[in-house]
Amino acid sequence: MIYSVCIDSPVGSVAVFSDGEYITEIAFEKCENIGKTNVLSNCVRQLKEYFDGERKEFCVPLKIEGSKFQKRVWNALCKIQYGTVISYKQLAEMSGSPNAYRAVGKANGKNRIPIIIPCHRVINENGEIGGYSSGI
């Protein structure tokens, strides 16, 4: 069973999905509120605190599915401090694949749990923002 809740945020509608135990996806779209679970309620509270500037880190159980490489990249993303941005090159270095900028960028774009796994903290080396899976 997949549960979901949709919240309004400063970046538009945010849909949060759960399997009942873990957060499985966050998407920038409208959704139906389907079921109510503790993990969804906790995640929504933390997201609202984050958007209100009261929270800098999340503490919700995540179900992360991807290749070993993608998981390394996503784990590295979680180490980027709140209020900090890094380049794809720096992320590649943090991920243990210093020459894999493009692959790191693709893994970044495949992140299914944005905001909590902060892919938005990665920019181009020239300081410009790149493309994101949900748009600029």
Side-chain angles (χ1 to χ4, degrees):
M1 177 82 185
I2 298 295
Y3 304 93
S4 62
V5 64
C6 190
I7 63 171
D8 290 323
S9 80
V11 294
S13 292
V14 176
V16 184
F17 299 91
S18 170
D19 64 4
E21 267 187 85
Y22 301 94
I23 298 301
T24 57
E25 183 177 2
I26 293 178
F28 299 100
E29 60 187 42
K30 290 191 181 281
C31 71
E32 291 183 43
N33 293 331
I34 302 173
K36 185 175 182 178
T37 68
N38 288 337
V39 71
L40 276 176
S41 296
N42 190 24
C43 186
V44 166
R45 178 183 52 79
Q46 290 186 33
L47 284 168
K48 287 181 179 181
E49 291 170 353
Y50 177 80
F51 291 129
D52 288 342
E54 299 168 2
R55 174 174 291 277
K56 295 182 181 178
E57 295 179 2
F58 293 91
C59 182
V60 291
L62 306 176
K63 187 174 197 175
I64 302 170
E65 295 180 351
S67 70
K68 286 182 183 181
F69 177 78
Q70 288 171 328
K71 288 178 182 179
R72 271 199 343 256
V73 172
W74 299 332
N75 284 328
L77 285 169
C78 290
K79 295 176 184 169
I80 305 170
Q81 296 294 311
Y82 177 88
T84 302
V85 293
I86 65 170
S87 68
Y88 289 100
K89 179 180 179 180
Q90 290 170 303
L91 181 59
E93 291 166 354
M94 288 172 61
S95 302
S97 301
N99 296 317
Y101 317 130
R102 286 182 184 225
V104 163
K106 283 187 177 196
N108 198 37
K110 296 282 185 185
N111 173 18
R112 292 186 56 159
I113 310 176
I115 304 170
I116 294 175
I117 299 177
C119 51
H120 59 280
R121 296 181 184 158
V122 183
I123 60 173
N124 293 328
E125 195 167 22
N126 65 6
E128 295 179 4
I129 57 175
Y132 295 98
S133 61
S134 298
I136 300 281

